[in-house]
Amino acid sequence: MGNLPGIVVMGASGRMGQMLTHTVLQSDRARLIGCVERPGHPWVGRDVGEAMGGAPIGLQVTDDAVGMIAQAQAVIDFTVPAATVATATLTAQARAVHVIGTTGFAPEDLEKLRAAARHAVIVRAGNMSLGVNLLVGLTRKVAAALGPEFDIEIVEAHHRHKVDAPSGTALMLGEAAAEARGVALSEVADRGRDGITGERQAGAIGFSAIRGGDVVGEHDVIFAGAGERLVLRHVATDRAIFARGALAAALWGQDRKPGEYDMTDVLGL
């Protein structure tokens, strides 16, 4: 086991943090060497197995991100933008693969991630699942084939605790559609409608977000033309698909050249 890539999970107490921890522990291709939480978190100092409600595994949750990342071959990070940007500096120094499932980045955050990727591998995706990344590819092809006479609307649904909207996956889909049409998403995105909005702008890519209950993730890309609609849909029912994809990305990134990658690179799509 000692020669397997050592994985550190950031934000171990979160939904995805716990799923990632379980996934790495069950893998025969990687070993879990650290679970990190913010200073002052009640999990710090506890055995991660017990903290998750199970048997002890002999690994304590720590708030020493610097020490843990220095030992890692890969870091998997589904946290918040500020924490992820700070972690990227540490992974760059350690030359560790940084797998980022965090969403909601501001443009200045993305610039800092690009700087970090000059020194280490960063695999960043708004969604780590195979199905979603196939959906992105299909969205790109359909947007190119149908042309601007078809309006594009992206509808996404997530659990009540999600803090950003549109989802990172929805934005991935929007980027794919915009790229296929040869425009920048920032120039055509319509991310909110309320009141008397007037007619829909030609060429706009609309976004709608639903939040409620325990929805894992649902995404629809609607191409609406005169007399017909085409709907591409992905429904996630288990967060394990994201954890498995993230682990695959961490393993894929070993021995790659520094740079920014996404799941289409990992999956060879």
Side-chain angles (χ1 to χ4, degrees), residues 78 100-103 123-128 133 168 172 261-263:
F78 284 66
I100 299 174
T102 306
T103 59
V123 182
R124 183 176 69 86
N127 194 299
M128 297 284 174
N133 283 280
M172 284 172 57
Y261 302 92
D262 60 24
M263 284 301 289

Side-chain angles (χ1 to χ4, degrees), residues 15-16 127 156-160 162 167 169 212-219 234-242:
R15 287 179 180 80
M16 276 307 304
N127 194 299
E156 54 100 344
H158 282 86
H159 54 85
R160 63 182 303 182
K162 186 169 178 60
S167 69
T169 303
D214 61 356
V215 178
V216 174
E218 300 179 4
H219 294 84
H234 180 271
V235 177
T237 58
D238 186 347
R239 286 184 181 84
I241 64 172
F242 310 131

Side-chain angles (χ1 to χ4, degrees), residues 54-256:
I57 66 168
L59 184 68
Q60 288 188 339
V61 180
T62 180
D63 59 5
D64 180 15
V66 175
M68 275 289 93
I69 292 171
Q71 304 172 49
Q73 281 72 59
V75 176
I76 306 181
D77 184 350
F78 284 66
T79 56
V80 296
T84 296
V85 169
T87 297
T89 299
L90 301 178
T91 56
Q93 293 170 350
R95 303 300 190 264
V97 175
H98 191 183
V99 178
I100 299 174
T102 306
T103 59
F105 291 106
E108 57 268 26
D109 296 327
L110 296 177
E111 284 298 326
K112 292 174 182 176
L113 294 180
R114 290 188 191 101
R118 291 199 288 267
H119 306 285
V121 171
I122 289 180
V123 182
R124 183 176 69 86
N127 194 299
M128 297 284 174
S129 87
L130 172 60
V132 161
N133 283 280
L134 288 171
L135 177 62
V136 170
L138 289 171
T139 297
R140 184 178 291 109
K141 288 185 177 181
V142 173
L146 293 181
E149 64 272 19
F150 277 76
D151 298 322
I152 301 176
E153 292 287 319
I154 299 170
V155 182
E156 54 100 344
H158 282 86
H159 54 85
R160 63 182 303 182
H161 301 291
K162 186 169 178 60
V163 299
D164 60 310
S167 69
T169 303
L171 293 173
M172 284 172 57
L173 295 165
E175 290 282 3
E179 177 184 310
R181 290 186 167 182
V183 296
L185 181 60
S186 59
E187 296 175 357
V188 296
D190 188 344
R191 296 175 58 162
R193 301 187 181 104
D194 184 43
I196 307 301
T197 61
E199 292 186 0
R200 189 185 198 282
Q201 294 296 307
I205 297 176
F207 292 87
S208 300
I210 297 167
R211 298 288 177 266
D214 61 356
V215 178
V216 174
E218 300 179 4
H219 294 84
D220 292 294
V221 185
I222 303 167
F223 295 86
E228 60 182 333
R229 290 192 304 278
L230 175 65
V231 181
L232 306 178
R233 165 167 256 223
H234 180 271
V235 177
T237 58
D238 186 347
R239 286 184 181 84
I241 64 172
F242 310 131
R244 289 193 294 266
L247 177 57
L251 296 173
W252 177 89
Q254 302 301 310
D255 300 321
R256 301 279 172 180

